[in-house]
Amino acid sequence: MADPGATATAGPRPEPWLSSWGDRAEQRRWPLARDVVVVGRSPDADVVVEGDPLVSRVHARLELVGGRWTLVDDGLSRNGTWVGGQRVRGRVTLHDRDAVRVGATVLVFCACEQDDGPPTLAGEPLLPAAQLTPAQLGVVRALCRPYGSGEGVPATNAQIAAELCLSVDAVKTHLREIAHRLGLEHLPQNEKRLRTAQTALRLGLAPAS
């Protein structure tokens, strides 16, 4: 007979991981299964960032210190590492859903056990227009068109699909990738849509009117 005073324990939480979205909206995950994890373009890195010439062979590393995950860039990378729009100079503590940019690639740090407040929001441009595919640029411009022209709200998925002759599912896939590349994927859906339009306009990814 179960002890009525016993407290049920939850199952084990997943290991922390890094994730990224590819050009075809496929997600990759790298579990952080050791205390030191190397990020870079080298095939010997723990997190291999392929296809991004701005990433150094050994770019940065994640280290578990006192039960907290930290990110270290002590000058190994040529183009720097950015967390929430701030360049890392030395060591910073990571929080669940922080966006980490290496080169033109955005990695998202996920650690359920580190539920310690809101993630660090991006405050600097994460990518130039050249890092979006032509299809993604078309979608983000259609998204911004009514908002930038003074209507005050971004276009709906159905409106974008009709304008670009795409399926609604294709529009959703493109918007998910765009939000990820802008470091906004952690936001609630309605807020994410508005912030995507605002950020795209601010970065010049879409015309203001």
Side-chain angles (χ1 to χ4, degrees):
M1 181 175 177
D3 181 356
T7 302
T9 58
R13 292 184 175 183
E15 288 180 327
W17 70 90
L18 290 177
S19 69
S20 74
W21 290 87
D23 290 338
R24 298 183 180 180
E26 72 278 11
Q27 187 183 36
R28 294 194 63 188
R29 283 193 179 192
W30 295 270
L32 305 181
R34 49 174 55 175
D35 291 353
V36 178
V37 175
V38 175
V39 179
R41 194 160 40 88
S42 168
D44 295 328
D46 301 297
V47 177
V48 180
V49 181
E50 300 173 334
D52 188 341
L54 299 178
V55 174
S56 300
R57 288 181 59 82
V58 177
H59 197 100
R61 64 184 184 273
L62 277 71
E63 296 182 359
L64 186 63
V65 179
R68 312 289 300 174
W69 279 98
T70 64
L71 185 140
V72 180
D73 187 333
D74 47 12
L76 288 176
S77 67
R78 173 170 296 184
N79 294 303
T81 305
W82 306 73
V83 175
Q86 301 296 318
R87 184 164 184 168
V88 176
R89 302 187 186 278
R91 183 189 302 272
V92 298
T93 300
L94 292 175
H95 305 278
D96 185 38
R97 305 296 170 175
D98 268 351
V100 177
R101 177 163 64 94
V102 292
T105 300
V106 177
L107 305 169
V108 179
F109 171 75
C110 302
C112 298
E113 74 276 12
Q114 291 193 178
D115 185 12
D116 50 5
T120 307
L121 299 180
E124 294 289 337
L126 292 182
L127 76 167
Q131 295 301 321
L132 293 180
T133 66
Q136 289 167 354
L137 277 175
V139 167
V140 79
R141 287 166 180 165
L143 172 76
C144 293
R145 190 164 290 116
Y147 182 80
S149 63
E151 293 184 25
V153 293
T156 65
N157 290 343
Q159 289 171 331
I160 298 171
E163 177 179 337
L164 302 179
C165 298
L166 296 172
S167 69
V168 170
D169 284 343
V171 171
K172 290 179 180 179
T173 297
H174 287 310
L175 286 175
R176 184 165 57 244
E177 171 65 10
I178 292 163
H180 172 74
R181 288 176 179 249
L182 293 174
L184 302 173
E185 71 282 351
H186 59 278
L187 296 175
Q189 187 60 38
N190 289 340
E191 183 181 354
K192 177 167 58 179
R193 190 178 198 83
L194 178 60
R195 284 285 301 279
T196 297
Q198 291 172 334
T199 304
L201 288 168
R202 178 170 59 82
L203 299 183
L205 299 177
S209 60

mmCIF file of all heavy atoms in Angstrom, residues 119-151:
data_model
loop_
_atom_site.group_PDB
_atom_site.id
_atom_site.type_symbol
_atom_site.label_atom_id
_atom_site.label_comp_id
_atom_site.label_asym_id
_atom_site.label_seq_id
_atom_site.Cartn_x
_atom_site.Cartn_y
_atom_site.Cartn_z
ATOM 1 N N PRO A 119 14.414 34.393 -21.067
ATOM 2 C CA PRO A 119 15.655 34.329 -21.817
ATOM 3 C C PRO A 119 16.171 35.707 -22.161
ATOM 4 O O PRO A 119 15.443 36.698 -22.103
ATOM 5 C CB PRO A 119 15.248 33.561 -23.096
ATOM 6 C CG PRO A 119 13.785 33.869 -23.248
ATOM 7 C CD PRO A 119 13.251 33.951 -21.840
ATOM 8 N N THR A 120 17.445 35.768 -22.518
ATOM 9 C CA THR A 120 18.039 37.020 -22.956
ATOM 10 C C THR A 120 17.565 37.325 -24.361
ATOM 11 O O THR A 120 17.768 36.524 -25.270
ATOM 12 C CB THR A 120 19.577 36.903 -22.946
ATOM 13 O OG1 THR A 120 19.990 36.455 -21.651
ATOM 14 C CG2 THR A 120 20.234 38.232 -23.265
ATOM 15 N N LEU A 121 16.911 38.448 -24.541
ATOM 16 C CA LEU A 121 16.375 38.789 -25.852
ATOM 17 C C LEU A 121 17.457 39.399 -26.725
ATOM 18 O O LEU A 121 18.367 40.065 -26.249
ATOM 19 C CB LEU A 121 15.210 39.782 -25.705
ATOM 20 C CG LEU A 121 14.024 39.269 -24.904
ATOM 21 C CD1 LEU A 121 12.958 40.354 -24.831
ATOM 22 C CD2 LEU A 121 13.454 37.996 -25.517
ATOM 23 N N ALA A 122 17.334 39.154 -28.006
ATOM 24 C CA ALA A 122 18.311 39.687 -28.945
ATOM 25 C C ALA A 122 18.155 41.192 -29.059
ATOM 26 O O ALA A 122 17.058 41.700 -29.231
ATOM 27 C CB ALA A 122 18.125 39.037 -30.318
ATOM 28 N N GLY A 123 19.271 41.912 -28.984
ATOM 29 C CA GLY A 123 19.226 43.355 -29.109
ATOM 30 C C GLY A 123 20.050 43.871 -30.269
ATOM 31 O O GLY A 123 20.151 45.062 -30.489
ATOM 32 N N GLU A 124 20.653 42.951 -31.051
ATOM 33 C CA GLU A 124 21.455 43.329 -32.194
ATOM 34 C C GLU A 124 21.005 42.500 -33.385
ATOM 35 O O GLU A 124 20.453 41.417 -33.234
ATOM 36 C CB GLU A 124 22.948 43.046 -31.918
ATOM 37 C CG GLU A 124 23.531 43.906 -30.823
ATOM 38 C CD GLU A 124 23.687 45.347 -31.255
ATOM 39 O OE1 GLU A 124 23.762 45.592 -32.472
ATOM 40 O OE2 GLU A 124 23.746 46.218 -30.379
ATOM 41 N N PRO A 125 21.258 42.987 -34.611
ATOM 42 C CA PRO A 125 20.923 42.198 -35.785
ATOM 43 C C PRO A 125 21.587 40.832 -35.731
ATOM 44 O O PRO A 125 22.779 40.731 -35.454
ATOM 45 C CB PRO A 125 21.476 43.044 -36.947
ATOM 46 C CG PRO A 125 21.534 44.431 -36.405
ATOM 47 C CD PRO A 125 21.843 44.288 -34.948
ATOM 48 N N LEU A 126 20.816 39.775 -36.008
ATOM 49 C CA LEU A 126 21.361 38.435 -35.999
ATOM 50 C C LEU A 126 21.736 37.946 -37.387
ATOM 51 O O LEU A 126 22.442 36.975 -37.528
ATOM 52 C CB LEU A 126 20.341 37.453 -35.383
ATOM 53 C CG LEU A 126 20.069 37.641 -33.899
ATOM 54 C CD1 LEU A 126 19.097 36.588 -33.427
ATOM 55 C CD2 LEU A 126 21.347 37.572 -33.097
ATOM 56 N N LEU A 127 21.240 38.571 -38.438
ATOM 57 C CA LEU A 127 21.561 38.089 -39.758
ATOM 58 C C LEU A 127 21.282 39.165 -40.784
ATOM 59 O O LEU A 127 20.366 39.959 -40.627
ATOM 60 C CB LEU A 127 20.732 36.845 -40.106
ATOM 61 C CG LEU A 127 19.266 37.023 -40.493
ATOM 62 C CD1 LEU A 127 18.731 35.743 -41.095
ATOM 63 C CD2 LEU A 127 18.423 37.397 -39.284
ATOM 64 N N PRO A 128 22.076 39.218 -41.849
ATOM 65 C CA PRO A 128 21.768 40.095 -42.961
ATOM 66 C C PRO A 128 20.753 39.440 -43.874
ATOM 67 O O PRO A 128 20.479 38.249 -43.769
ATOM 68 C CB PRO A 128 23.129 40.239 -43.657
ATOM 69 C CG PRO A 128 23.811 38.937 -43.381
ATOM 70 C CD PRO A 128 23.358 38.524 -41.993
ATOM 71 N N ALA A 129 20.197 40.232 -44.795
ATOM 72 C CA ALA A 129 19.198 39.692 -45.715
ATOM 73 C C ALA A 129 19.758 38.527 -46.519
ATOM 74 O O ALA A 129 19.022 37.610 -46.885
ATOM 75 C CB ALA A 129 18.703 40.800 -46.647
ATOM 76 N N ALA A 130 21.062 38.543 -46.779
ATOM 77 C CA ALA A 130 21.671 37.485 -47.578
ATOM 78 C C ALA A 130 21.571 36.122 -46.911
ATOM 79 O O ALA A 130 21.705 35.091 -47.575
ATOM 80 C CB ALA A 130 23.141 37.817 -47.842
ATOM 81 N N GLN A 131 21.319 36.084 -45.593
ATOM 82 C CA GLN A 131 21.213 34.815 -44.888
ATOM 83 C C GLN A 131 19.818 34.222 -44.954
ATOM 84 O O GLN A 131 19.590 33.132 -44.449
ATOM 85 C CB GLN A 131 21.647 34.994 -43.426
ATOM 86 C CG GLN A 131 23.108 35.346 -43.271
ATOM 87 C CD GLN A 131 24.021 34.301 -43.865
ATOM 88 O OE1 GLN A 131 23.758 33.113 -43.745
ATOM 89 N NE2 GLN A 131 25.073 34.727 -44.520
ATOM 90 N N LEU A 132 18.865 34.934 -45.569
ATOM 91 C CA LEU A 132 17.538 34.388 -45.817
ATOM 92 C C LEU A 132 17.446 33.925 -47.256
ATOM 93 O O LEU A 132 18.031 34.540 -48.156
ATOM 94 C CB LEU A 132 16.449 35.438 -45.548
ATOM 95 C CG LEU A 132 16.260 35.905 -44.107
ATOM 96 C CD1 LEU A 132 15.136 36.932 -44.042
ATOM 97 C CD2 LEU A 132 15.968 34.741 -43.177
ATOM 98 N N THR A 133 16.727 32.838 -47.470
ATOM 99 C CA THR A 133 16.522 32.380 -48.838
ATOM 100 C C THR A 133 15.561 33.335 -49.547
ATOM 101 O O THR A 133 14.824 34.093 -48.896
ATOM 102 C CB THR A 133 15.927 30.972 -48.843
ATOM 103 O OG1 THR A 133 14.594 31.025 -48.287
ATOM 104 C CG2 THR A 133 16.762 30.001 -48.009
ATOM 105 N N PRO A 134 15.538 33.336 -50.886
ATOM 106 C CA PRO A 134 14.575 34.184 -51.599
ATOM 107 C C PRO A 134 13.131 33.936 -51.160
ATOM 108 O O PRO A 134 12.344 34.882 -51.040
ATOM 109 C CB PRO A 134 14.798 33.798 -53.065
ATOM 110 C CG PRO A 134 16.235 33.369 -53.121
ATOM 111 C CD PRO A 134 16.478 32.672 -51.809
ATOM 112 N N ALA A 135 12.796 32.670 -50.900
ATOM 113 C CA ALA A 135 11.430 32.366 -50.457
ATOM 114 C C ALA A 135 11.154 32.972 -49.087
ATOM 115 O O ALA A 135 10.068 33.513 -48.837
ATOM 116 C CB ALA A 135 11.219 30.849 -50.425
ATOM 117 N N GLN A 136 12.135 32.893 -48.177
ATOM 118 C CA GLN A 136 11.957 33.471 -46.844
ATOM 119 C C GLN A 136 11.846 34.991 -46.918
ATOM 120 O O GLN A 136 11.048 35.597 -46.206
ATOM 121 C CB GLN A 136 13.119 33.057 -45.948
ATOM 122 C CG GLN A 136 13.098 31.590 -45.569
ATOM 123 C CD GLN A 136 14.393 31.107 -44.955
ATOM 124 O OE1 GLN A 136 15.376 31.854 -44.901
ATOM 125 N NE2 GLN A 136 14.420 29.867 -44.519
ATOM 126 N N LEU A 137 12.645 35.620 -47.773
ATOM 127 C CA LEU A 137 12.545 37.075 -47.937
ATOM 128 C C LEU A 137 11.172 37.471 -48.458
ATOM 129 O O LEU A 137 10.586 38.467 -48.015
ATOM 130 C CB LEU A 137 13.634 37.573 -48.891
ATOM 131 C CG LEU A 137 15.015 37.809 -48.292
ATOM 132 C CD1 LEU A 137 16.006 38.168 -49.391
ATOM 133 C CD2 LEU A 137 14.972 38.912 -47.238
ATOM 134 N N GLY A 138 10.647 36.689 -49.417
ATOM 135 C CA GLY A 138 9.311 36.983 -49.925
ATOM 136 C C GLY A 138 8.257 36.893 -48.844
ATOM 137 O O GLY A 138 7.357 37.741 -48.750
ATOM 138 N N VAL A 139 8.376 35.874 -47.976
ATOM 139 C CA VAL A 139 7.397 35.691 -46.906
ATOM 140 C C VAL A 139 7.496 36.823 -45.889
ATOM 141 O O VAL A 139 6.481 37.375 -45.451
ATOM 142 C CB VAL A 139 7.597 34.318 -46.231
ATOM 143 C CG1 VAL A 139 6.803 34.234 -44.929
ATOM 144 C CG2 VAL A 139 7.166 33.208 -47.167
ATOM 145 N N VAL A 140 8.718 37.182 -45.487
ATOM 146 C CA VAL A 140 8.848 38.220 -44.464
ATOM 147 C C VAL A 140 8.388 39.567 -45.003
ATOM 148 O O VAL A 140 7.799 40.379 -44.272
ATOM 149 C CB VAL A 140 10.295 38.275 -43.921
ATOM 150 C CG1 VAL A 140 11.233 39.010 -44.855
ATOM 151 C CG2 VAL A 140 10.327 38.936 -42.547
ATOM 152 N N ARG A 141 8.601 39.839 -46.285
ATOM 153 C CA ARG A 141 8.129 41.092 -46.860
ATOM 154 C C ARG A 141 6.607 41.121 -46.952
ATOM 155 O O ARG A 141 5.984 42.161 -46.693
ATOM 156 C CB ARG A 141 8.768 41.299 -48.230
ATOM 157 C CG ARG A 141 10.246 41.675 -48.122
ATOM 158 C CD ARG A 141 10.993 41.570 -49.425
ATOM 159 N NE ARG A 141 12.396 41.944 -49.239
ATOM 160 C CZ ARG A 141 13.357 41.692 -50.119
ATOM 161 N NH1 ARG A 141 13.075 41.068 -51.256
ATOM 162 N NH2 ARG A 141 14.607 42.069 -49.858
ATOM 163 N N ALA A 142 6.011 39.989 -47.298
ATOM 164 C CA ALA A 142 4.548 39.929 -47.321
ATOM 165 C C ALA A 142 3.979 40.064 -45.912
ATOM 166 O O ALA A 142 2.939 40.698 -45.705
ATOM 167 C CB ALA A 142 4.098 38.609 -47.959
ATOM 168 N N LEU A 143 4.649 39.475 -44.931
ATOM 169 C CA LEU A 143 4.225 39.595 -43.536
ATOM 170 C C LEU A 143 4.212 41.053 -43.101
ATOM 171 O O LEU A 143 3.282 41.518 -42.428
ATOM 172 C CB LEU A 143 5.178 38.798 -42.637
ATOM 173 C CG LEU A 143 4.997 38.965 -41.125
ATOM 174 C CD1 LEU A 143 3.775 38.190 -40.643
ATOM 175 C CD2 LEU A 143 6.251 38.489 -40.383
ATOM 176 N N CYS A 144 5.247 41.793 -43.490
ATOM 177 C CA CYS A 144 5.420 43.164 -43.008
ATOM 178 C C CYS A 144 4.601 44.190 -43.783
ATOM 179 O O CYS A 144 4.416 45.313 -43.288
ATOM 180 C CB CYS A 144 6.902 43.554 -43.092
ATOM 181 S SG CYS A 144 7.978 42.640 -41.979
ATOM 182 N N ARG A 145 4.157 43.842 -44.980
ATOM 183 C CA ARG A 145 3.565 44.858 -45.855
ATOM 184 C C ARG A 145 2.420 45.633 -45.204
ATOM 185 O O ARG A 145 2.455 46.871 -45.158
ATOM 186 C CB ARG A 145 3.133 44.225 -47.181
ATOM 187 C CG ARG A 145 2.722 45.255 -48.236
ATOM 188 C CD ARG A 145 2.675 44.638 -49.605
ATOM 189 N NE ARG A 145 4.031 44.317 -50.069
ATOM 190 C CZ ARG A 145 4.479 43.095 -50.304
ATOM 191 N NH1 ARG A 145 3.686 42.059 -50.122
ATOM 192 N NH2 ARG A 145 5.709 42.898 -50.723
ATOM 193 N N PRO A 146 1.392 44.980 -44.653
ATOM 194 C CA PRO A 146 0.308 45.766 -44.044
ATOM 195 C C PRO A 146 0.738 46.485 -42.775
ATOM 196 O O PRO A 146 0.286 47.600 -42.497
ATOM 197 C CB PRO A 146 -0.779 44.724 -43.756
ATOM 198 C CG PRO A 146 -0.056 43.417 -43.703
ATOM 199 C CD PRO A 146 1.072 43.547 -44.682
ATOM 200 N N TYR A 147 1.653 45.873 -42.008
ATOM 201 C CA TYR A 147 2.128 46.517 -40.780
ATOM 202 C C TYR A 147 2.944 47.756 -41.113
ATOM 203 O O TYR A 147 2.759 48.824 -40.528
ATOM 204 C CB TYR A 147 2.969 45.527 -39.976
ATOM 205 C CG TYR A 147 3.475 46.096 -38.666
ATOM 206 C CD1 TYR A 147 2.642 46.148 -37.552
ATOM 207 C CD2 TYR A 147 4.777 46.572 -38.546
ATOM 208 C CE1 TYR A 147 3.095 46.667 -36.348
ATOM 209 C CE2 TYR A 147 5.238 47.094 -37.353
ATOM 210 C CZ TYR A 147 4.394 47.140 -36.257
ATOM 211 O OH TYR A 147 4.848 47.658 -35.070
ATOM 212 N N GLY A 148 3.830 47.645 -42.093
ATOM 213 C CA GLY A 148 4.668 48.769 -42.461
ATOM 214 C C GLY A 148 3.925 49.889 -43.159
ATOM 215 O O GLY A 148 4.364 51.040 -43.138
ATOM 216 N N SER A 149 2.775 49.567 -43.762
ATOM 217 C CA SER A 149 2.013 50.600 -44.471
ATOM 218 C C SER A 149 1.016 51.313 -43.576
ATOM 219 O O SER A 149 0.228 52.130 -44.044
ATOM 220 C CB SER A 149 1.275 49.974 -45.666
ATOM 221 O OG SER A 149 0.325 49.016 -45.224
ATOM 222 N N GLY A 150 1.022 50.986 -42.278
ATOM 223 C CA GLY A 150 0.204 51.731 -41.334
ATOM 224 C C GLY A 150 -1.033 51.019 -40.836
ATOM 225 O O GLY A 150 -1.789 51.570 -40.035
ATOM 226 N N GLU A 151 -1.276 49.768 -41.263
ATOM 227 C CA GLU A 151 -2.455 49.049 -40.776
ATOM 228 C C GLU A 151 -2.289 48.570 -39.339
ATOM 229 O O GLU A 151 -3.264 48.261 -38.665
ATOM 230 C CB GLU A 151 -2.757 47.862 -41.694
ATOM 231 C CG GLU A 151 -3.200 48.273 -43.092
ATOM 232 C CD GLU A 151 -3.580 47.086 -43.953
ATOM 233 O OE1 GLU A 151 -3.967 46.038 -43.374
ATOM 234 O OE2 GLU A 151 -3.484 47.189 -45.181
#
